[in-house]
Amino acid sequence: MIKKFDKKDEESGSGSNPFQHLEKSAVLQEARIFNETPINPRRCLHILTKIIYLLNQGEHFGTTEATEAFFAMTRLFQSNDQTLRRMCYLTIKEMANISEDVIIVTSSLTKDMTGKEDVYRGPAIRALCRITDTTMLQAIERYMKQAIVDKVPSVSSSALVSSLHMVKMSYDVVKRWVNEAQEAASSDNIMVQYHALGLLYHLRKNDRLAVSKMLNKFTKSGLKSPFAYCMLIRIASKLLEETEAGHDSPLFDFIESCLRNKHEMVVYEAASAIVHMPSCTARELAPAVSVLQLFCSSPKASLRYAAVRTLNKVAMKHPSAVTACNLDLENLITDSNRSIATLAITTLLKTGSESSVDRLMKQISSFVSEISDEFKVVVVQAISALCQKYPRKHSVMMNFLSNMLRDDGGFEYKRAIVDCIISIIEENPESKETGLAHLCEFIEDCEHTVLATKILHLLGKEGPRTPSPSKYIRFIFNRVVLESEAVRAAAVSALAKFGAQNDDLLPSVLVLMQRCMMDSDDEVRDRATFYMNVLQQKQKALNAGYIFNGLSVSVPGLEKSLHQYTLEPTEKPFDMKSVPLANTPITEQKTEFAAVATSKLPEKPGPTRQDIYQAIPEFQGLGPLFKTSEAVQLTEAETEFMVQMEPSEAYEFSTRSLLLTCPTASLASCYSLVRLPEDDPTAVSCTFSCTLKYLMEDVGDGSRPHPEGVGAHSPQPGTRWENDFEKEETFALALRQKR
């Protein structure tokens, strides 16, 4: 009796996997019935199925319990039930790596392998080869050679496939079976011929000449197996790529001749091989494209999918070659298989003309809601490429993308749309206002923080340059009121950019900044306070330096300079020029920077390393910078120690080295200028030892710190101490002369 499961059964669990709640201990307990007499084949089959299911689900079997179950299972060889015997073979293969002494069943498997029951021989060969090691392989070599050329196809295929697996274990032994494999390659059975060709190739794949001879033999003699033809095509393609042979090669002629094969799989394999050749021209692609065009109208969904998927790849490099298939691709837009329809529309987007864009957009909208997010991303990427090709159609495609933004979807899908709209805005100035309006509408109901901060950064960059910048203020300030801390912080930065570039909006922006200064998050408050003070000074230089480009100074250096400024009472204002520059400009604070890390760099970047080094007088005449590594601190940033670098005695420089110092080492870097020797300037290797020199002075209470730690003897006031680092610091200098 067959029970029909309905939706209620599925929800209640009665129609679910019957092995879903199996417990290993319970199954091993049931396995004891293997020892019962007489053997119950039906119950034993059910238990073996449970064991194999647990093994395939990743259940861990201990060596002891697996061995006990395996030895109990060996009693089942006494049964004459064919299904139970074949299940035993399968269990042996699964438990071969976790059970001990599995080799005990070798005699039973060898008996079945050479017996008269053909239904046992093939499975027995596969199980025996799975448990055989290198020491036992020669003992069964004679049986394997006989099995490879056996007249029963299932036995011959089992022996060939098992031999292919044993090539990794004992190549030299299996190589002696080449004559038998060549005989099997002339078999009339398509699977035997395919497996024999696979074994021959793997035995010769490291010898290019042998592979060429094999290809030459089988391409001329002909094959009956379509699977073997597909393998020959792949081998020929790989050899063409390795040898970089031209398209005049006989191998390419063979692949092209396979386009006229009577088997569809061979024809598609040949077309796919030609399409994927790296240096194939549009003229050489034409025969393959013609074949794929015929497949587009095939009644088989698999052939239609394969054809349109391959044509989609061709359109990426040679869109003109696919233009002839546009009519067939348009017919596939209404295909019942939505995967085929999606690939067809994306291919048309790459190959279609400007006049067909409107029609394509209407056709896409009819089914885009029915496909998965993965295919929607493919559609968006195709639209992005089409926008670059036909910029005058941006309004049509922008409206379509905005409608897709309103639909439900995951983060990757939404990000693809936002990135596409941003790329259109950046490449087509006429679409700026339309694109910004769509993005403003999207962030009103955006659940993804990364996308919201990215759009706010774009609004702060592009919004003030539009004819009506005031209309974006409302959307930005709504984020301050309604969103999370990260989005609110990004909105404050965007507001500041509007106030910095537009004098008419500045009073309104200052009012909004006052509101942001009462925010519950300290990051938002700090930003609002900072931007408020900068904007109130109404200086374009300050706006450009602190709002658009951010600080270009070293933050630890700034902190130390400010601390030093508070310790020394003076009426002079703090001078930012006294702070050393950072190696990389700090363009945004941490939240906004993470959101826009993939966007374009600021229009006014901070100083480069070339500029930093050129500011040092001794370095100005050395020409352009060749190579430099990241700065590495020798001590803590707050430590005011001087470091002197001296080369080892292993290499003597031809000229003196120049040491540039600073009264306070924590506020500047220390550079050593070394001239290359003239006798061999191309390769210099030297180790520099660093010596820390500092002056010990009395402190207020009369105690004196000592470089060697507490309890050391006290030095006299004014004594200069010289000590190496506790942790040895060496620097390997590898210089190359720029030619």
Side-chain angles (χ1 to χ4, degrees), residues 63-74:
T63 303
T64 302
E65 54 191 7
T67 303
E68 291 178 355
F70 175 79
F71 272 93
M73 183 266 299
T74 56

Side-chain angles (χ1 to χ4, degrees), residues 583-658:
N583 289 335
T584 56
I586 304 172
T587 56
E588 297 292 340
Q589 298 296 332
K590 59 182 180 181
T591 307
E592 188 172 355
F593 179 78
V596 301
T598 57
S599 64
K600 290 188 175 181
L601 293 174
E603 295 181 357
K604 298 180 179 179
T608 63
R609 293 191 177 184
Q610 176 72 28
D611 298 332
I612 296 173
Y613 292 128
Q614 285 290 345
I616 303 172
E618 288 80 1
F619 288 177
Q620 290 178 357
L622 299 181
L625 182 64
F626 175 52
K627 182 177 178 59
T628 179
S629 59
E630 294 290 339
V632 179
Q633 292 184 354
L634 302 182
T635 60
E636 291 77 7
E638 296 80 7
T639 306
E640 298 179 0
F641 287 147
M642 292 303 302
V643 178
Q644 180 176 344
M645 297 174 63
E646 296 180 355
S648 63
E649 297 179 359
Y651 192 91
E652 292 293 339
F653 287 95
S654 60
T655 57
R656 65 182 178 84
S657 63
L658 174 64

Side-chain angles (χ1 to χ4, degrees), residues 73-79 85 88-89 92 108-109 112:
M73 183 266 299
T74 56
R75 276 201 75 250
L76 302 180
F77 275 90
Q78 300 174 7
S79 174
R85 180 73 65 88
C88 288
Y89 298 143
I92 290 172
S108 299
L109 293 175
D112 290 345

